[in-house]
Amino acid sequence: MTFCLDTTIIKPEKDVKIENAVILLHGYGGDGKDISMLSLNWKRHLTNTIFLCPNGHEPCPINPSGYQWFDLTKDDPKYILNETIKAEKKLNQFIDEVKIKYNLENDKICLSGFSQGCMMSINLGLTSKNKFSCVVGFSGKIINQEDLKQRKRTSTNILLIHGDSDQVVSPNYMLEAKDFFIRSNIEIETYLIKNCDHHIPIEASSIALNYISKKIK
């Protein structure tokens, strides 16, 4: 079976049964191989887990060798929202393909992502019919709170991690998201990493691994 998105796949050790999946979504201008680096440490502790790292469905104008989930060349919230809905449709198709291929339900799948990938993971995790095991987001935000409030269908548990020195996506967005999730009765944990800009340090990776280990049974 071929997925609708080009995907970097990290499988468990030979003959180990796949019982869970972690879908990792890269940031703006990145690709699946970039974000798959997280799995190098995680897979040693999540032995029955397959890691799937798809490329965005569109090439990125500012980095022709990278991809995007939605276009950021226009600073128009309505345009950006429309573009994210297109990405959601493609990612939901991808998730359905993963579920069929590996015989998994939503509660056996963690959605995780960095920056744009975090934003998409939040939307996917809360607009699906059934809860995922969890959403783990790095350096992201809620794309459009009013839209998400209207389309929210489920209450997937969420972990958000952000650097306190992030100049690309302000850490204030994590606090705004936390407030939104609390008001929406969604279980939320947040961590602010000191002296960290727009990337995923080892500390953030370890916090995320510990969280996912508890959520994936």
Side-chain angles (χ1 to χ4, degrees):
M1 179 179 181
T2 304
F3 295 128
C4 65
L5 296 168
D6 289 336
T7 305
T8 299
I9 301 173
I10 297 90
K11 297 180 179 178
E13 296 299 320
K14 189 177 180 182
D15 299 327
V16 174
K17 184 182 178 184
I18 294 170
E19 296 180 352
N20 308 287
V22 174
I23 295 175
L24 291 164
L25 305 181
H26 63 75
Y28 184 65
D31 62 23
K33 286 184 180 176
D34 289 344
I35 197 77
S36 73
M37 293 299 104
L38 281 173
S39 71
L40 295 179
N41 180 44
W42 291 5
K43 70 177 184 177
R44 295 202 300 268
H45 302 275
L46 303 171
T47 52
N48 295 93
T49 302
I50 188 165
F51 297 87
L52 301 130
C53 313
N55 290 342
H57 62 299
E58 297 175 344
C60 181
I62 66 160
N63 179 16
S65 62
Y67 300 87
Q68 65 186 21
W69 298 108
F70 52 92
D71 183 25
L72 288 176
T73 59
K74 294 182 183 179
D75 190 20
D76 176 355
K78 187 175 181 182
Y79 171 78
I80 289 174
L81 179 59
N82 288 337
E83 292 299 295
T84 63
I85 298 298
K86 291 179 190 174
E88 274 185 50
K89 289 178 180 176
K90 182 62 84 171
L91 280 165
N92 277 318
Q93 179 186 344
F94 174 76
I95 292 168
D96 286 342
E97 292 169 349
V98 169
K99 288 162 66 176
I100 291 168
K101 182 171 178 64
Y102 300 110
N103 191 29
L104 298 172
E105 296 300 325
N106 282 28
D107 63 354
K108 297 296 183 182
I109 299 173
C110 162
L111 300 177
S112 183
F114 170 72
S115 198
Q116 264 199 0
C118 168
M119 301 175 204
M120 295 307 306
S121 296
I122 290 170
N123 272 19
L124 292 164
L126 298 181
T127 60
S128 62
K129 184 179 178 182
N130 298 308
K131 287 175 68 170
F132 288 89
S133 73
C134 58
V135 166
V136 174
F138 303 93
S139 308
K141 65 177 184 177
I142 296 173
I143 296 164
N144 185 306
Q145 289 197 13
E146 195 56 42
D147 169 73
L148 187 56
K149 184 178 178 181
Q150 291 174 5
R151 296 195 298 122
K152 176 184 173 291
R153 300 172 73 191
T154 192
S155 299
T156 298
N157 297 337
I158 297 175
L159 167 67
L160 295 181
I161 304 174
H162 218 115
D164 68 350
S165 304
D166 195 329
Q167 300 295 311
V168 178
V169 180
S170 170
N172 289 336
Y173 285 119
M174 183 183 75
L175 302 178
E176 290 177 8
K178 182 177 183 179
D179 179 65
F180 175 89
F181 296 138
I182 289 171
R183 286 187 283 107
S184 302
N185 296 312
I186 295 165
E187 184 182 304
I188 172 71
E189 291 186 27
T190 58
Y191 286 87
L192 194 64
I193 307 295
K194 290 185 178 180
N195 304 314
C196 175
D197 56 16
H198 197 62
H199 73 282
I200 304 173
I202 293 172
E203 181 183 356
S205 174
S206 298
I207 291 168
L209 171 61
N210 184 52
Y211 182 85
I212 295 169
S213 298
K214 292 175 182 176
K215 296 299 180 183
I216 285 183
K217 304 299 181 185

